[in-house]
Amino acid sequence: MAISAVATLQPRDSENFLQYIQNPFNTQLTSKAFWSSFGYSISGAVLCATLFCVLRPHNRTLYAPRIKYISDDKRAPPPVSNGVFGWVQPVVETRDQALLEKIGQDATVFLHFTTMCRNITIFLSIIGCGVYIPLNIVENSKNRSSDGSNTFMKFAPYSVGGRACWAYVITSHAFDFVICYFLWTSSRAVARIRCDYFESSEYQTKTASRTLMVTDIPQQYRTDAGVVKLVLQVATAGVLSGAIARHVKDLPELIKTYEGTVRELEGVLSKYSKYSERLPRKRPTCKARDGDEASFAAGSEVDAIFHLVARIQRLAGRIYAARKVARGNEVLPYGFVTLPTMAQAHELAHAVRKEHPYGSKIRLAPGPTDLIWKNLSLPKKSRRWRDFPGHVLVSALIVVWTVPNALIAVFLADLSKLGAIWPAFQAELERRPRTWGAIQGILAPLVTMLFYLLLPTIFRRLSIYAGDFSKTEREKGVARKLYAFFVLNNLIVFSLFSAGWKYAAAVIQAQSNQNLWSAIKET
């Protein structure tokens, strides 16, 4: 692509390219872009932090709802004063063990990971800026090749060469040591967090912690006793209790409606009893819906508290009746096996991790809220067919995003490259360097950031459509897809197109004195 673009350039464009090669980047534009990006990031961070510090003390229910709604001292967050910086002390002093009790394993590991990334960034910044900036200033001053009127160029490695490059090599090894050290210490901390979580009474008393989930069960084993027999074919265990899943029809929708109605009632009661010492004279009202009592027409105003309580009681009765008849419903291709202790369940799951009796799969059961129930009943063949278009769509998305990513790498990240082949735009850059510098420094990272905010949502929906059994499994798949997408587009495509464009520019410089093919070979 780059070579074909070179071949079609006009002589006037070649002159602009020669000017671009003699000055590899517009120093003034690059300087403005850097300071615009730096100012945009710093000002955004300061603004968000200031708004949080000012608004938090006056909106405790919004920023710390667990203090109001959780009465258990073990799970309630630590007390936070109303001062502007009152949140700093609990953040600094709260340790992993306390976080594990209050917010759970996943949130604690996530906070530990972000802390590790923060520490790595701080140490690399201190080491890098402490070595690179003084070295670049000294080398640029020694070689007299930086623009004395441009402070930014004094910091850039514009003319660093020779023995001074050993400082870059040694600092790179220091970077590797810092990253490996924090990865090692964080891995040990995460392993300790997981052990503490597995040893906690909260985990060991859960039924899910001593339960195995069996999927893709063949037809002849789809009974409560059949699930147990299937597991015993590949492992020897003690007393097992099996349960085959059955089609519950509209029970999930009823439960979802029930929970939504309870939350609606809680909201009405919260507003009505906000000032308990003087309740409002007028009780809250709501509109009746289809399916409510026959005495109320749909859309008519009714007493909200009595009406919602009656609706909750009616839904509870329907849920009880649906659960009662579920034992005789159609069986599904998955079930659960419960063991007496958590240790036995983990040992058995580890022993049969590579065993697939009659095509089934045995694993530790995720928590009920972690399961994607509608996918558990999908047959294996259906999941394979659903997974195929997902991979095709991800591959197509990677290919499609290559084009805008290449344009960002070649032009948007450095607008002077576009000016090298567009004389009118180059004149505009020279007239308004501040404006275009701000656009260059902000627009490219902003476009990439917005795209990567949308991308995980797309991958999550594809994973659910493909038949992932749990939200944890779904998030692992999303992380793998994001990693592959990021490495291919941002590391390979971005770098290759940026380097390819510079190569094309070098070919044009060499072409001014010889033919195109000779210039390509020489370059």
Side-chain angles (χ1 to χ4, degrees), residues 9-29:
L9 289 175
Q10 301 297 323
R12 182 179 59 181
D13 300 327
S14 300
E15 295 175 2
N16 286 286
F17 244 121
L18 289 175
Q19 183 180 2
Y20 171 76
I21 291 298
Q22 293 168 0
N23 183 11
F25 49 86
N26 188 319
T27 58
Q28 186 179 13
L29 183 65

Side-chain angles (χ1 to χ4, degrees), residues 17 21 501-511 519 523:
F17 244 121
I21 291 298
W501 187 258
K502 292 181 180 180
Y503 174 76
V507 169
I508 291 178
Q509 182 189 29
Q511 187 187 2
T523 306

Side-chain angles (χ1 to χ4, degrees), residues 42-315:
I42 295 297
S43 60
V46 171
L47 178 63
C48 291
T50 303
L51 288 176
F52 173 76
C53 292
V54 172
L55 296 177
R56 183 198 62 82
H58 306 287
N59 299 272
R60 294 174 63 87
T61 304
L62 176 64
Y63 288 101
R66 294 167 63 90
I67 294 179
K68 181 178 180 180
Y69 297 112
I70 296 181
S71 57
D72 184 8
D73 293 337
K74 185 177 180 180
R75 298 188 63 84
V80 183
S81 65
N82 289 330
V84 175
F85 298 103
W87 57 274
V88 175
Q89 183 177 357
V91 169
V92 173
E93 295 180 353
T94 305
R95 299 302 177 217
D96 290 340
Q97 185 61 39
L99 290 174
L100 185 62
E101 294 178 353
K102 298 179 185 302
I103 62 178
Q105 177 191 211
D106 292 339
T108 303
V109 172
F110 174 76
L111 290 178
H112 202 91
F113 172 76
T114 56
T115 302
M116 180 196 70
C117 294
R118 180 203 64 189
N119 294 338
I120 289 176
T121 303
I122 290 175
F123 274 86
L124 295 189
S125 300
I126 293 174
I127 297 174
C129 293
V131 174
Y132 293 152
I133 291 179
L135 176 66
N136 295 340
I137 292 175
V138 171
E139 289 297 311
N140 288 331
S141 300
K142 183 190 301 183
N143 298 325
R144 300 175 180 270
S145 56
S146 62
D147 187 0
S149 62
N150 194 324
T151 305
F152 175 76
M153 287 304 301
K154 294 180 181 179
F155 299 151
Y158 190 61
S159 60
V160 179
R163 294 182 177 179
C165 291
W166 281 105
Y168 285 89
V169 176
I170 296 173
T171 307
S172 298
H173 287 296
F175 286 172
D176 294 338
F177 174 78
V178 170
I179 293 173
C180 291
Y181 172 76
F182 279 106
L183 287 175
W184 176 62
T185 55
S186 297
S187 299
R188 294 181 61 189
V190 169
R192 185 175 61 252
I193 291 171
R194 288 178 59 83
C195 290
D196 292 341
Y197 175 71
F198 289 139
E199 293 173 357
S200 65
S201 59
E202 180 184 1
Y203 178 78
Q204 296 196 7
T205 54
K206 288 182 178 179
T207 304
S209 66
R210 52 189 179 90
T211 301
L212 302 178
M213 182 175 70
V214 187
T215 56
D216 301 322
I217 301 175
Q219 187 67 43
Q220 64 270 26
Y221 288 98
R222 292 182 186 179
T223 61
D224 293 346
V227 179
V228 176
K229 291 180 181 179
L230 191 65
V231 174
L232 291 177
Q233 287 188 6
V234 293
T236 302
V239 180
L240 302 180
S241 175
I244 192 69
R246 296 182 180 274
H247 198 293
V248 292
K249 298 182 180 179
D250 59 346
L251 182 59
E253 287 74 16
L254 287 174
I255 295 176
K256 185 177 180 181
T257 305
Y258 177 86
E259 292 176 348
T261 307
V262 170
R263 292 192 183 96
E264 187 178 354
L265 176 61
E266 290 174 346
V268 171
L269 290 174
S270 176
K271 292 180 181 179
Y272 181 66
S273 60
K274 184 175 183 180
Y275 303 101
S276 57
E277 65 277 3
R278 49 183 182 87
L279 296 176
R281 292 183 179 180
K282 184 180 179 181
R283 289 171 63 88
T285 61
C286 68
K287 292 184 178 181
R289 303 174 187 172
D290 293 334
D292 287 332
E293 293 90 342
S295 57
F296 298 109
S300 60
E301 292 290 334
V302 294
D303 186 287
I305 297 176
F306 290 143
H307 191 65
L308 290 174
V309 169
R311 186 186 297 167
I312 290 172
Q313 292 174 347
R314 188 170 56 256
L315 288 170

Side-chain angles (χ1 to χ4, degrees), residues 387-397:
D387 195 32
F388 176 73
H391 285 299
V392 172
L393 187 56
V394 171
S395 302
L397 192 60

Side-chain angles (χ1 to χ4, degrees), residues 347-411:
E347 290 175 2
L348 183 58
H350 182 75
V352 301
R353 66 189 185 280
K354 296 181 180 180
E355 303 290 341
H356 303 280
Y358 297 98
S360 63
K361 186 172 183 179
I362 305 171
R363 73 194 83 180
L364 285 171
T369 57
D370 189 37
L371 286 170
I372 304 175
W373 292 94
K374 63 180 181 180
N375 286 345
L376 290 174
S377 57
L378 292 175
K380 186 183 298 184
K381 186 177 181 180
S382 177
R383 292 200 305 272
R384 289 174 180 172
W385 278 107
R386 283 173 170 235
D387 195 32
F388 176 73
H391 285 299
V392 172
L393 187 56
V394 171
S395 302
L397 192 60
I398 292 175
V399 174
V400 170
W401 180 246
T402 299
V403 177
N405 193 35
L407 295 176
I408 293 173
V410 173
F411 298 119

